[in-house]
Amino acid sequence: MAILEVKNIRKKFDDIEVLKGIDFSLEKGQALSIIGSSGSGKTTLLRCLNFLETPDEGVIKVNDEILFDSSDPLTRSESQIRKKRLHFGLVFQSFNLFPQYTALENVMLAPKLAAKEKRNKKSDDIYEHGSKLLDIYHDAHELLKQVGLSDRMNNYPHQLSGGQQQRVAIARALILKPDILCFDEPTSALDPELTGEVLKVIRGLSEKNYTMIIVTHEMEFARDVANHVIFMDGGVICEQGNPRELFENPKEERTKQFLIRYKN
């Protein structure tokens, strides 16, 4: 059964239609790569899924729960949108770490704020709150270890390389236990020599069957790490399918042109 169902997602900015009716589904444990030229709508689609942008039309379902339906105004409320975002973890192109916090503190920040908010609503006593903070510390510690940063937990962002900062950002997204982890060009801000360490972490997550959507310009990585690939162009899905079949034997002329350009 699909963990994510996306139907007829459309999005305009002024008079420019960026998404022109996007349909796809994603199975639990599946890694989906989305490829395409700049301006094809890849990042806008990811932002719509994370509710950083509100689609103009369409339906988004996670685990059979309707998170967004353009025909239902209740799914557009700000309070509902905040809850919906918890289904998705997003790793941005830029790392967006807080410079005043260590790597460990950056990873712990969001769940600590959530625990504080819950305590302020009187739903936790001091002992429950303390226990939750300890759990958050242990989770953050383990996640930083998982992304290969056990010796950098107390470093501040300016003391870390770009690749290390991006790995902190991945751990920060994972600590909220999202249903779907999304990556928006996770290596685009990195020097080529640092790209490999981030791709290695994402590959490891794929091998552990994390459900992921990866917008990437790394064609070889998109082919090798994903279970399914979508090629977007001009706000539509031109072609999708098994990665090796799509890369080795694309059916659509536009896909062929795009892949030839990258091979050359």
Side-chain angles (χ1 to χ4, degrees):
M1 186 175 69
I3 189 172
L4 172 67
E5 295 178 72
V6 175
K7 298 179 181 178
N8 194 36
I9 292 296
R10 296 178 179 271
K11 180 66 181 176
K12 271 187 180 181
F13 294 102
D14 297 323
D15 293 330
I16 300 172
E17 192 173 20
V18 179
L19 299 177
K20 304 175 182 177
I22 302 296
D23 297 272
F24 71 91
S25 62
L26 184 66
E27 302 294 325
K28 185 175 177 60
Q30 189 176 42
L32 167 68
S33 288
I34 302 179
I35 61 173
S37 303
S38 296
S40 60
K42 307 184 304 294
T43 292
T44 299
L45 173 59
L46 214 55
R47 289 177 65 85
C48 284
L49 294 178
N50 285 271
F51 299 100
L52 297 175
E53 302 285 353
T54 302
D56 298 319
E57 293 182 36
V59 176
I60 300 172
K61 294 171 66 175
V62 173
N63 290 323
D64 266 349
E65 176 189 356
I66 295 177
L67 302 189
F68 177 82
D69 184 341
S70 55
S71 66
D72 182 358
L74 293 178
T75 64
R76 292 174 175 266
S77 71
E78 184 58 36
S79 62
Q80 287 298 313
I81 285 173
R82 287 183 62 191
K83 293 178 183 177
K84 295 167 191 173
R85 287 191 182 128
L86 296 177
H87 291 279
F88 298 90
L90 179 58
V91 179
F92 297 90
Q93 295 180 28
S94 54
F95 321 123
N96 292 344
L97 301 180
F98 290 98
Q100 70 272 34
Y101 297 133
T102 65
L104 185 64
E105 289 168 339
N106 264 282
V107 176
M108 292 177 62
L109 184 60
K112 280 180 68 176
L113 290 173
K116 182 179 179 181
E117 182 179 354
K118 190 173 182 181
R119 188 187 175 196
N120 288 341
K121 291 179 180 178
K122 308 295 184 184
S123 56
D124 274 356
D125 62 27
I126 188 170
Y127 299 106
E128 289 175 316
H129 184 68
S131 177
K132 284 189 177 178
L133 291 181
L134 187 60
D135 288 342
I136 291 168
Y137 171 82
H138 287 309
D139 287 347
H141 192 280
E142 284 303 309
L143 285 169
L144 284 169
K145 182 178 178 182
Q146 181 177 333
V147 298
L149 292 174
S150 56
D151 60 340
R152 294 286 187 269
M153 294 189 187
N154 295 316
N155 287 71
Y156 290 88
H158 74 274
Q159 298 172 315
L160 301 173
S161 70
Q164 289 168 337
Q165 290 185 60
Q166 191 63 296
R167 284 186 278 159
V168 174
I170 292 171
R172 180 180 60 185
L174 287 170
I175 198 167
L176 294 175
K177 300 178 175 63
D179 293 303
I180 301 161
L181 187 59
C182 302
F183 295 89
D184 184 14
E185 300 281 12
T187 61
S188 65
L190 301 178
D191 294 333
E193 61 191 34
L194 299 176
T195 295
E197 64 188 58
V198 173
L199 296 182
K200 181 179 177 182
V201 170
I202 300 173
R203 191 185 302 275
L205 295 175
S206 176
E207 291 170 355
K208 292 179 180 178
N209 294 321
Y210 279 84
T211 308
M212 298 188 293
I213 300 174
I214 309 161
V215 169
T216 183
H217 61 275
E218 300 284 347
M219 294 299 106
E220 185 177 349
F221 178 73
R223 182 194 65 198
D224 294 343
V225 78
N227 310 108
H228 194 78
V229 173
I230 284 175
F231 169 61
M232 289 185 64
D233 184 62
V236 300
I237 294 175
C238 286
E239 189 168 350
Q240 61 178 307
N242 176 276
R244 295 205 172 271
E245 290 180 7
L246 188 143
F247 278 92
E248 293 172 11
N249 188 30
K251 295 179 175 59
E252 299 296 326
E253 187 59 34
R254 183 65 188 91
T255 315
K256 294 176 184 177
Q257 294 171 2
F258 174 81
L259 292 175
I260 287 172
R261 188 179 68 187
Y262 269 93
K263 287 176 183 176
N264 294 336

